[in-house]
Amino acid sequence: MKPNYRRLPALNKLKSLNLSTSKPHNENETDPLSNIENSKNLESIIINTSAYCRDTDMTYNIPLDLKNFHTLSKLKKLELNGIHVPLLKNIGKLVNIESFELTNPRIVTEEQPDDFFPIDKPMTEKDLNFIKYMTNLKDLKLWLPRFHSKSHNFDYKKIVTLINPKIKKLEIFCGFAKEKNKDVHEMYKNFTSSLKELEELNININCIDAPALKYNDKIEGAYEKAKIKRNEQAKNPILIDFLKIKKMKNIKEFKIDIDGYFGIRTHNTAEIANLEKLNKINLEFVYRELKIDIKELRLIFDRIATKRQKF
């Protein structure tokens, strides 16, 4: 195998690049994927830098050279999966991007060490600063570090300010330690009140260190019942107030999945009938649908049903 095989040739006719890589045994982890920017007509780039090596039975993250991506003037879509977070500072100003996905960025921690790189500082909103230059962004997906407490320290209020206020679709996955209930409330509040033009919103919040559920796995449905009980016992649950959601006048799809340890409740549910463009609601707490009070459902039916349907 050639030692510079990670340096891609210039492919002038190439418009779409979908690249995953593998890591052969004994290969130098620090050699980056590079020269992508010399394929000048690229409109879409999807790169997965997370690589599994069968020889060592380990997962590695291959470095990626982002320094000149900003020169790709035709680039509209960029997806980065598993990229090492310190590399994001090189991404530059991608002003023409309309769709951006950052999935499971890599942070080296004591909990998740690396053979080649030292321990990183926790990921913060500063590592996402490049998003503020994506002034044409319509679709944003952020699957942030969410399983280890030392991997991140975000100010979500500041993250919201980085996002194009005219964005149409937002999907954000994140995680909080169990004592960060106040921060969970702030995160939910900021992302449901600041982006008025949203058509699709998906928020997923994990509790990093929630206590293990106690249930008898020999009893059918015991796991689901334990999940419901945890949500019901949440001391300060997130309030899904549809009177406030109504302010997002263009919302079509609305999904909230919050760990049952934090919990959720609904309020002003009858206002769903006034969300004219809404066609899909999915309220969950860790894979279990939340049931809406039958009295509120009757109010909704009375508002939207025809005379014939009521009869």
Side-chain angles (χ1 to χ4, degrees):
M1 183 173 290
K2 295 181 180 180
N4 64 341
Y5 83 102
R6 286 185 181 172
R7 181 175 173 83
L8 275 64
L11 302 169
N12 294 325
K13 294 183 179 181
L14 189 67
K15 293 186 177 182
S16 179
L17 174 66
N18 191 332
L19 177 64
S20 295
T21 184
S22 60
K23 181 186 183 299
H25 188 43
N26 294 327
E27 181 188 336
N28 186 349
E29 173 74 6
T30 60
D31 289 341
L33 289 166
S34 63
N35 205 43
I36 294 173
E37 69 277 2
N38 283 325
S39 296
K40 297 295 184 181
N41 288 307
L42 279 170
E43 299 175 3
S44 173
I45 297 176
I46 300 173
I47 297 181
N48 182 2
T49 58
S50 181
Y52 174 70
C53 179
R54 287 182 295 180
D55 295 328
T56 61
D57 192 29
M58 292 182 66
T59 299
Y60 299 85
N61 287 85
I62 308 303
L64 172 64
D65 185 356
L66 292 165
K67 290 179 182 178
N68 293 310
F69 270 38
H70 67 279
T71 64
L72 293 168
S73 60
K74 297 181 180 181
L75 189 63
K76 301 293 185 183
K77 178 178 180 178
L78 177 61
E79 296 182 14
L80 301 175
N81 185 359
I83 189 169
H84 192 193
V85 169
L87 298 176
L88 292 173
K89 66 179 182 293
N90 299 322
I91 203 168
K93 299 179 181 180
L94 303 178
V95 296
N96 295 318
I97 288 288
E98 295 180 359
S99 177
F100 176 67
E101 293 188 12
L102 179 64
T103 306
N104 301 324
R106 170 81 159 121
I107 283 283
V108 180
T109 65
E110 293 177 358
E111 300 162 306
Q112 290 185 307
D114 191 283
D115 290 343
F116 295 89
F117 296 99
I119 302 298
D120 293 319
K121 294 180 180 179
M123 186 178 183
T124 72
E125 66 283 351
K126 292 180 181 179
D127 295 301
L128 300 171
N129 199 53
F130 60 89
I131 292 177
K132 71 181 181 182
Y133 300 110
M134 297 179 174
T135 52
N136 290 300
L137 194 63
K138 298 177 182 178
D139 184 348
L140 176 61
K141 177 179 176 179
L142 297 174
W143 284 23
L144 301 173
R146 56 197 180 279
F147 301 115
H148 301 280
S149 59
K150 294 181 180 180
S151 65
H152 62 277
N153 184 23
F154 293 112
D155 183 333
Y156 287 93
K157 187 175 183 179
K158 291 182 179 179
I159 291 180
V160 170
T161 66
L162 301 175
I163 301 173
N164 175 18
K166 295 183 179 180
I167 195 169
K168 301 299 182 183
K169 183 178 180 180
L170 174 64
E171 181 174 324
I172 181 165
F173 282 36
C174 56
F176 296 85
K178 61 185 180 182
E179 71 272 11
K180 297 290 186 178
N181 187 280
K182 182 179 179 181
D183 293 341
V184 175
H185 279 262
E186 285 297 315
M187 183 273 177
Y188 172 80
K189 176 183 176 182
N190 288 324
F191 278 86
T192 55
S193 63
S194 302
L195 303 168
K196 304 295 186 182
E197 301 297 318
L198 277 173
E199 296 179 1
E200 298 181 30
L201 176 61
N202 183 353
I203 297 176
N204 183 296
I205 300 176
N206 176 52
C207 183
I208 294 172
D209 52 353
L213 278 175
K214 296 181 180 180
Y215 65 96
N216 189 340
D217 58 4
K218 296 180 180 180
I219 300 176
E220 185 177 354
Y223 177 78
E224 288 76 13
K225 289 179 181 179
K227 289 289 186 183
I228 294 171
K229 184 177 181 180
R230 170 167 284 184
N231 184 76
E232 292 173 345
Q233 292 178 342
K235 296 178 180 179
N236 187 21
I238 304 298
L239 190 65
I240 314 295
D241 188 344
F242 284 95
L243 188 60
K244 295 180 179 179
I245 299 301
K246 190 173 69 171
K247 294 179 181 179
M248 291 190 285
K249 298 184 182 299
N250 295 321
I251 197 72
K252 296 178 181 178
E253 295 189 15
F254 181 73
K255 180 176 181 180
I256 306 295
D257 189 349
I258 296 177
D259 194 296
Y261 185 85
F262 297 125
I264 63 175
R265 301 285 188 276
T266 57
H267 187 56
N268 291 317
T269 314
E271 291 295 332
I272 291 173
N274 296 320
L275 290 162
E276 297 179 357
K277 297 183 179 181
L278 188 66
N279 56 43
K280 184 177 182 180
I281 302 174
N282 197 343
L283 302 181
E284 299 184 0
F285 50 95
V286 193
Y287 314 121
R288 177 75 185 186
E289 264 189 47
L290 181 71
K291 295 180 180 179
I292 298 175
D293 189 274
I294 189 65
K295 294 179 181 178
E296 293 181 315
L297 286 177
R298 285 172 179 163
L299 286 172
I300 296 171
F301 177 77
D302 287 339
R303 289 193 182 188
I304 66 175
T306 64
K307 291 182 179 180
R308 182 178 179 84
Q309 289 171 329
K310 290 179 181 180
F311 177 77

